[in-house]
Amino acid sequence: MIYTVKSGDTLFKIAREYGVTIESIVEANGLSRPNDLVIGQSLFIPTQSNLTTYRVVAGDTMYLISQRLGIPLNDLIVANPQITNPNVINIGDIINIPSGKKAIEVNGYAIANINTTTLERTLPYLTYISIFSYQAKQDGNLFILYEDDIIERARNMSVAPVMVVTNIAENGGFDSDIASRILNNENITNTLINNIISRVVDKNYYGVDIDFEYLYPRDRVAYLNFLRKLKTELVKINKKLSVAVAPKYRDEQSGILYEAHDYRGIGEIADRVIIMTYEWGYTYGEPMAVSPLMEVDAVLRYAVTRIPPEKILMGMPNYGYAWNIPYEQGTPATAITNSRALELAIENGATINFDERAQAPYFNYTGDNGRNKVVWFDDARSISARLELVNKYNLAGVSYWTINNFYAVNWAVLNSKFDVVKINY
């Protein structure tokens, strides 16, 4: 369950009220300053409502318990964060046994420089790890990416590695011209597809994720032709195709971000469609929630009429923004991790507010330069509200951008609602 901090609250008081340990609250929420709470802060309370227990006897191992009870080993490990080394359990230990939750797919985009500790902590919660990214050149060749360590660690945790291909230019930023040149020249299209297939085979990737953004509207059909041709080649080697798309409300939504992303056409071709349901609040936009519930809901309501819901992964942001206020057009916001947002609230004695319509938290404070700031971020409440849309629309699961920062409460909330599909690959 989720608790909102009130004036006078302490972790001792909250833990006693709900019959849990202070340590369990600290761990589930990743609290770096457990003695400092702010009014309006949400806390995930790790109750045992979705668990049964088992007492370890002589000869038991986590693997044998999982086999005996018909539970995936990784699910058993995730349900027992108190066991720091799953290879060592003792007679008499109490093991939590997960039960009765829907299993969903969870994708995490990982930028290739991800910290090893962060990666290891996150892998138990993932079905796929999409390694970002192989950048396509205008001649159809690919820039080099060093990802072998990520692939190996993922496979060891039954997480399927996915090759991400983008139209990001060498100097950064999605490039419409690079994509257009590739999509409208058959020789270059074939070169890119051949290079993708070669890399998939060489690295033994589970599949490919195409993230082509800011495509010219005139390239809508050419993009579908490219995806169809790539899918044909992937099927030959028993690999999967996912496609990332912009969040749309209707078929003919205007704007270079949207027009070339044909939901129906892409949904017919791809095995999974990742809808990037975030960035309503963005670097050069006005202060607001990154992923407001009402907007995400509107996008999904349209999407499931065009794409089979069992193919859809709903985008989940793992970041927030801090804006100067009053807002001045053209002044960029600063990207911020959710953990850092909470630290700022504590450091400045801010009260965290909650927008009921957007289902998102925010707070105001004064920066070191005397400028007033507003921070929109994610907490247990906003994460929980959006995850409910998976059930509402019967989606395949969710996709996080990015997993490069570990936010403990996100995974605690996810794990309380769903089991995670694992792929032995």
Side-chain angles (χ1 to χ4, degrees):
M1 67 162 297
I2 298 171
Y3 178 81
T4 303
V5 173
K6 303 187 296 292
S7 177
D9 277 339
T10 65
L11 282 187
F12 175 79
K13 178 181 176 182
I14 296 167
R16 185 175 60 181
E17 180 178 349
Y18 289 97
V20 299
T21 65
I22 292 174
E23 292 75 18
S24 69
I25 298 176
V26 171
E27 183 172 6
N29 292 276
L31 300 179
S32 59
R33 298 172 60 168
N35 294 322
D36 297 317
L37 302 178
V38 296
I39 297 172
Q41 177 181 354
S42 74
L43 295 172
F44 177 77
I45 308 299
T47 63
Q48 300 296 308
S49 59
N50 290 316
L51 299 171
T52 57
T53 58
Y54 172 84
R55 185 179 295 274
V56 175
V57 298
D60 274 341
T61 66
M62 293 288 274
Y63 174 76
L64 288 176
I65 294 170
S66 72
Q67 292 296 300
R68 188 181 307 131
L69 299 178
I71 300 167
L73 175 60
N74 188 74
D75 290 359
L76 193 62
I77 292 172
V78 168
N80 289 276
Q82 79 281 6
I83 298 176
T84 56
N85 183 354
N87 294 316
V88 179
I89 56 176
N90 303 305
I91 296 172
D93 283 352
I94 301 299
I95 306 294
N96 296 321
I97 307 300
S99 63
K101 292 180 289 185
K102 175 183 177 180
I104 66 168
E105 297 174 4
V106 181
N107 176 61
Y109 281 104
I111 298 171
N113 64 356
I114 186 171
N115 175 275
T116 299
T117 301
T118 299
L119 176 64
E120 293 283 1
R121 293 178 72 188
T122 307
L123 285 171
Y125 304 98
L126 300 181
T127 307
Y128 314 107
I129 185 166
S130 295
I131 306 171
F132 202 87
S133 75
Y134 278 92
Q135 297 163 230
K137 301 179 183 180
Q138 63 179 359
D139 62 0
N141 288 309
L142 296 165
F143 286 100
I144 294 173
L145 189 68
Y146 299 98
E147 78 280 40
D148 288 352
D149 182 62
I150 298 175
I151 292 173
E152 181 180 359
R153 292 176 187 274
R155 288 205 189 100
N156 289 340
M157 294 295 289
S158 299
V159 177
V162 175
M163 175 187 181
V164 182
V165 182
T166 65
N167 61 319
I168 294 176
E170 185 174 8
N171 60 354
F174 289 92
D175 192 303
S176 310
D177 290 323
I178 288 176
S180 190
R181 181 172 174 79
I182 292 169
L183 298 176
N184 291 289
N185 184 302
E186 185 176 3
N187 290 333
I188 298 176
T189 296
N190 291 337
T191 297
L192 177 58
I193 290 175
N194 289 338
N195 281 322
I196 291 172
I197 297 298
S198 175
R199 188 53 52 96
V200 167
V201 171
D202 179 54
K203 301 288 186 179
N204 192 21
Y205 271 112
Y206 178 80
V208 177
D209 178 60
I210 300 297
D211 182 14
F212 276 19
E213 301 184 32
Y214 293 94
L215 301 177
Y216 290 126
R218 65 174 182 264
D219 289 334
R220 179 177 174 125
V221 173
Y223 187 43
L224 288 179
N225 290 338
F226 162 71
L227 294 175
R228 193 174 292 109
K229 195 167 188 177
L230 174 59
K231 176 62 185 298
T232 298
E233 297 305 311
L234 288 171
V235 167
K236 292 177 183 177
I237 56 173
N238 196 31
K239 304 295 182 179
K240 303 297 183 181
L241 174 66
S242 63
V243 180
V245 299
K248 296 175 63 169
Y249 307 103
R250 54 190 177 276
D251 286 340
E252 302 304 324
Q253 189 165 330
S254 62
I256 194 169
L257 186 63
Y258 310 103
E259 292 183 48
H261 285 177
D262 179 345
Y263 271 30
R264 189 184 297 279
I266 292 172
E268 291 173 353
I269 297 167
D271 297 292
R272 293 292 180 269
V273 179
I274 298 170
I275 305 180
M276 296 179 285
T277 40
Y278 33 76
E279 287 290 277
W280 278 271
Y282 64 101
T283 304
Y284 284 96
E286 296 184 14
M288 65 181 300
V290 174
S291 193
L293 182 70
M294 68 283 190
E295 303 294 352
V296 178
D297 187 90
V299 168
L300 294 175
R301 188 163 56 247
Y302 156 71
V304 296
T305 69
R306 299 296 183 269
I307 305 167
E310 63 272 17
K311 287 188 174 186
I312 294 175
L313 299 180
M314 176 184 70
M316 294 281 286
N318 185 32
Y319 60 94
Y321 285 108
W323 285 265
N324 290 330
I325 53 173
Y327 169 72
E328 297 176 5
Q329 189 171 2
T331 303
T334 302
I336 187 171
T337 68
N338 291 306
S339 298
R340 180 56 186 153
L342 184 56
E343 290 173 359
L344 276 174
I346 293 171
E347 291 168 6
N348 292 278
T351 294
I352 296 175
N353 303 298
F354 194 74
D355 186 302
E356 292 293 339
R357 185 163 182 265
Q359 286 288 292
Y362 67 96
F363 63 90
N364 298 85
Y365 76 101
T366 302
D368 294 336
N369 59 2
R371 289 297 302 267
N372 292 326
K373 305 268 191 177
V374 62
V375 176
W376 286 85
F377 67 112
D378 259 335
D379 67 3
R381 293 167 294 183
S382 58
I383 292 165
S384 178
R386 287 203 306 280
L387 287 176
E388 286 301 316
L389 296 176
V390 174
N391 287 325
K392 179 177 179 178
Y393 292 104
N394 199 27
L395 307 180
V398 294
S399 175
Y400 286 89
W401 177 266
T402 68
I403 61 166
N404 281 58
N405 293 291
F406 188 81
Y407 190 37
V409 74
N410 172 80
W411 304 115
V413 173
L414 177 78
N415 191 55
S416 74
K417 292 178 176 292
F418 303 107
D419 286 332
V420 176
V421 173
K422 305 298 285 188
I423 296 176
N424 293 317
Y425 182 73

